Structures are given as C-alpha cells and as structure tokens.
Amino acid sequence: MSNSRASVIGFLAATLFAVSYVVATSGALPPTVASHFDGAGRANGFMSRSGYVGFSIGFALVLPVLVGVVMPRALMSAPELLNLPNKDYWLAPKRAADTIAFLATHNRWLGTAMALFAAGLHRSIVRANAQETPRLASDDFAVAMIVFSVVMMIWIGLLLARFRRPPPAVL
C-alpha cells in the first residue's frame, strides 16, 4: 500500500474514530461541563453539554478536514501559492507532481494526528467531569500534549528532511 493511500485510510479512520468517540462518550458528561482548567487542574470555565459536544466535534472534525483535505486540494489547484524554500526547484515540471503529492500526504498525516489529539483531549475532559468536583488530571493532559508534541516534531523533521536545500549544481 502506498503512503498516500495509507494516509487517506489513516485520516478517515482517525477522524471517524475521534468524532464517534466524542459522540459515544458525551452522554456521561453533566449538563454543565467543566471545559477549561487552570494550571493546577481546577475547573475555571464551563459550557453547556450541547455546546461542548458541538465544539469537540468541530475540533475533532473541522480542523483535521481543513488540514488534511482542504489544504491538499488547494495545493493541487494552486501550487504557485505554496511557500517553500527553493520553490523553483521543488515545483519545476519534473518535480512538481511529487512535491504536491508529498505535501498532500504529509498534511493528511497531520490531520490524522490532530483528530487523535482532539479525542485525547476529550477523554481528559470526560474523566475530569466524572469526579464530584471536576478536576483535570495533569498526567492525563500531559500525556496527550507530549504525544502530540513528539508527533509534531517528527512531522516537522520529515518535512524539513524532504525539502532540504538541493545541491548547488541544481539551483
């Protein structure tokens, strides 16, 4: 299976999972959801359950779709708008299709990570609200942030490795 096809399948599966997870677990939330917490994990912001669910579905669906679907489509239809170092080299006719395909696939993987991150944050909120006095478990939130940060560093590293400066002879 190609990386491009795997990225489509991964993106669709992660986004479907994230949205389904939010919908399936939201019934356990109280009518007023503690949705924001201070550094010590104490609730300091609240939303109605329906408002929170709508926001969470948006976070799990809209942002990943913008990154994983809309941006790749925009790149394919208007590659001249792309901002890359050595753009003339990477968008030369013999490399343009590969460059755009890589970026589209790379963005789908980012959308996948964003959907899974949204599901992880929602899990933290559900667990916090399951307590009599809502409190965000710092380890729960930290795990989601650390995993997402590591994934982002890898994503950026792969992007930089792919678009490193070409040899001087070809500039």
Side-chain angles (χ1 to χ4, degrees):
M1 178 182 330
S2 74
N3 191 27
S4 177
R5 184 165 180 200
S7 73
V8 170
I9 292 169
F11 175 78
L12 292 173
T15 305
L16 179 61
F17 164 76
V19 171
S20 298
Y21 181 69
V22 168
V23 170
T25 58
S26 291
L29 292 168
T32 300
V33 178
S35 56
H36 190 272
F37 300 84
D38 66 17
R42 292 181 299 261
N44 64 5
F46 300 86
M47 299 175 81
S48 69
R49 180 179 15 206
S50 62
Y52 170 79
V53 171
F55 175 82
S56 293
I57 289 171
F59 189 55
L61 179 65
V62 174
L63 289 176
V65 166
L66 284 173
V67 170
V69 177
V70 174
M71 286 178 62
R73 295 271 184 226
L75 289 174
M76 290 176 199
S77 64
E80 66 278 1
L81 298 177
L82 186 60
N83 185 12
L84 277 177
N86 305 300
K87 181 177 171 176
D88 292 339
Y89 174 81
W90 294 113
L91 293 178
K94 66 182 180 180
R95 282 180 288 283
D98 286 343
T99 296
I100 299 302
F102 173 86
L103 290 169
T105 298
H106 207 59
N107 271 35
R108 280 189 294 271
W109 286 122
L110 179 57
T112 299
M114 292 173 77
L116 294 174
F117 179 63
L121 290 181
H122 172 70
R123 178 181 179 271
S124 296
I125 299 292
V126 169
R127 289 184 66 199
N129 280 275
Q131 301 173 50
E132 188 173 326
T133 301
R135 186 169 196 87
L136 187 66
S138 60
D139 59 335
D140 210 25
F141 182 72
V143 167
M145 291 301 296
I146 290 168
V147 169
F148 187 70
S149 296
V150 168
V151 168
M152 285 303 304
M153 286 187 280
I154 292 168
W155 186 86
I156 291 167
L158 291 171
L159 186 68
L160 292 174
R162 173 66 166 82
F163 294 109
R164 65 190 180 280
R165 187 170 177 85
V170 294
L171 290 176

